[in-house]
Amino acid sequence: MKTFIVFGCGRFGSTVATRLYDLKNDVVIVDYDEEKIDAISENVTEAVICDLEDEKAMTELALKNYDVAVIAIGENLEAAVMAVLASKEAGIEKVIAKAPNYRFGKILLKCGADKIIFPERDMGFRLANNLSNDYLLDANEISKGYTIYDLKASPKMNGKEIRDLKLREDYNFNVLMVKRAGENFVNPLASFKIKEEDILTVLGSDKDIKRFTEVN
C-alpha cells in the first residue's frame, strides 16, 4: 500500500484522493477550506486543514512519510510552488502537479515537480478525438504529436490478422494491446486475428492516425 498526500480539495484533488482511497491506499488530503475538508473527511484516511503558504504549518505535515504528492492547486501559484518545494525538500520520490496552463506548469517543473497534468487540456484533447471519428474511443498524448489511442475495430478489419492491416509498415503504429470482451491480449503477435468490436491500443503519431482512420 502506498501513502499519498494530496494538496488541494477542489474537484480534481478530491476526485484523485477519494479514488486512491477506494483503491486501498493511505491518503491524506490538505486544504485551507474547512468546509471542503469536512465534506471529504470520511472518504480519505485523513483530511487536514492547512494554509499551504504558512511554512510552519507545512513542516507539521511530516511530508517525509509519503511516497507520492499530488499538487491539485490550479488557482494559487504561490501555494502550488510552496507545496512542490516542501514535498521535494522532504524527499518525496514522486511529485505530480496540476496546472491550468503551460506557464503555470513550467514554473512548477522548475520548482521540482516530476510530472505536470493539464486536466482541461487533456479532456479537450480526448473529446476532440472522440468527436472526429466514431472509431476513436480514447486518446492519451504522451509527447507533442504522439499519442496512445484506443481504436474500435471497424467492419473492414474483421477477420484480418494484424499483419494484414500493415499497421507498422504503412502507419508506423505499435500495437500495444487488443481488448476483447473483458480479456486483454498484450503485445499481440502479427498472426493475431482481429474481430469486429475489438479495441486496439496503439501508439502512433496524430498524422498517421488520421490517415489510418480515413481508410479503415
Side-chain angles (χ1 to χ4, degrees), residues 180-201:
R180 175 183 295 164
E183 191 172 2
N184 296 330
F185 301 89
V186 180
N187 294 322
L189 298 173
S191 58
F192 187 93
K193 188 170 291 187
I194 300 297
K195 292 183 179 180
E196 192 173 349
E197 302 299 323
D198 280 354
I199 297 173
L200 283 70
T201 300

Side-chain angles (χ1 to χ4, degrees), residues 70-192:
V70 178
I71 318 301
I73 305 166
E75 298 178 357
N76 188 332
L77 178 58
E78 186 174 349
V81 167
M82 283 288 291
V84 170
L85 290 174
S87 298
K88 296 307 289 186
E89 288 172 0
I92 295 179
E93 185 175 344
K94 184 178 291 186
V95 177
I96 301 170
K98 165 191 170 181
N101 54 58
Y102 282 103
R103 177 181 172 276
F104 199 111
K106 190 174 182 180
I107 292 171
L108 297 185
L109 278 175
K110 287 187 175 182
C111 291
D114 299 297
K115 184 176 182 180
I116 303 297
I117 303 294
F118 300 94
E120 290 188 357
R121 185 207 67 174
D122 293 345
M123 184 55 67
F125 183 85
R126 290 183 178 187
L127 178 60
N129 276 289
N130 294 346
L131 292 174
S132 70
N133 191 293
D134 292 338
Y135 293 100
L136 280 180
L137 302 181
D138 201 0
N140 291 282
E141 187 179 32
I142 59 170
S143 65
K144 189 65 175 177
Y146 285 87
T147 302
I148 293 177
Y149 292 94
D150 276 352
L151 302 173
K152 180 180 175 183
S154 68
K156 287 184 179 180
M157 298 165 65
N158 187 40
K160 292 184 178 179
E161 295 182 354
I162 288 179
R163 64 163 62 93
D164 298 329
L165 301 174
K166 297 186 176 180
L167 298 177
R168 185 184 293 273
E169 297 90 333
D170 292 350
Y171 301 99
N172 303 308
F173 285 170
N174 287 311
V175 182
L176 307 178
M177 182 167 61
V178 177
K179 304 171 190 175
R180 175 183 295 164
E183 191 172 2
N184 296 330
F185 301 89
V186 180
N187 294 322
L189 298 173
S191 58
F192 187 93

Side-chain angles (χ1 to χ4, degrees), residues 19-89:
R19 181 55 181 161
L20 285 171
Y21 184 69
D22 288 343
L23 293 171
K24 310 303 180 185
N25 293 289
D26 187 7
V27 184
V28 173
I29 191 164
V30 180
D31 199 285
Y32 68 91
D33 190 318
E34 184 175 355
E35 187 176 335
K36 289 180 178 179
I37 288 296
D38 286 343
I40 200 174
S41 61
E42 294 184 2
N43 298 306
V44 293
T45 308
E46 187 178 1
V48 179
I49 300 171
C50 178
D51 181 356
L52 302 184
E53 296 180 51
D54 183 336
E55 287 191 45
K56 184 175 183 298
M58 289 287 282
T59 60
E60 295 174 355
L61 294 174
L63 296 177
K64 64 181 180 180
N65 296 324
Y66 299 95
D67 299 312
V68 181
V70 178
I71 318 301
I73 305 166
E75 298 178 357
N76 188 332
L77 178 58
E78 186 174 349
V81 167
M82 283 288 291
V84 170
L85 290 174
S87 298
K88 296 307 289 186
E89 288 172 0

